[in-house]
Amino acid sequence: MSELEFISVDSTLETAPYQQVREQLLGAIASGRLAPGTRLPSVRALAGQVGLAVNTVAKVYKELEAQGAVVTRGRHGTIVQAGAEAGEQAVSDAAADLARVARIWSVDEERAVKYLRAAFSSLPD
């Protein structure tokens, strides 16, 4: 039984398959379901499990690595590097960026928060 059997792709969604997998992995890391040190399946194994091309899953792993969520250690595989606190830090950093950009463009806090709420409401379920 694969530790990532909960990962799946819903072809009826508008969200790209690679993005669905990336979001599910990030969610599992943020919730603690995938703890730091957990070894992820090979790109080929996960691609076979979810029915995607190997290059698509490789793109997911590469993006997760760029975000600091995982680290790839050659023959040792891809390992979860971040925990829930990394997600909190990423959101905090993004909020600081939003506040800075809003101030540069003279967008007040109330309008910036409205944009943020609109962004949340536009996300797929």
Side-chain angles (χ1 to χ4, degrees):
M1 180 167 148
S2 167
E3 189 162 349
L4 298 182
E5 284 192 5
F6 62 91
I7 301 292
S8 64
V9 174
D10 184 345
S11 61
T12 64
L13 297 177
E14 291 183 21
T15 307
Y18 91 90
Q19 192 172 357
Q20 291 180 45
V21 173
R22 183 179 57 82
E23 289 173 0
Q24 290 174 58
L25 286 170
L26 279 174
I29 292 168
S31 71
R33 185 172 191 175
L34 292 176
T38 302
R39 184 173 182 213
L40 299 181
S42 70
V43 167
R44 188 173 304 279
L46 185 56
Q49 174 190 321
V50 297
L52 295 176
V54 171
N55 288 342
T56 302
V57 175
K59 179 179 178 179
V60 170
Y61 280 16
K62 185 176 182 176
E63 285 188 13
L64 291 175
E65 189 164 20
Q67 293 175 306
V70 301
V71 62
T72 300
R73 297 184 177 147
R75 294 183 356 209
H76 299 287
T78 301
I79 312 294
V80 174
Q81 178 171 280
E85 67 282 350
E88 293 287 329
Q89 185 62 52
V91 171
S92 176
D93 292 347
D97 288 343
L98 174 62
R100 189 173 50 260
V101 170
R103 179 161 288 166
I104 289 169
W105 289 96
S106 299
V107 174
D108 64 33
E109 180 180 345
E110 186 176 331
R111 284 185 50 209
V113 169
K114 284 182 183 178
Y115 288 130
L116 181 59
R117 285 193 181 111
F120 267 103
S121 68
S122 70
L123 292 173
D125 291 331

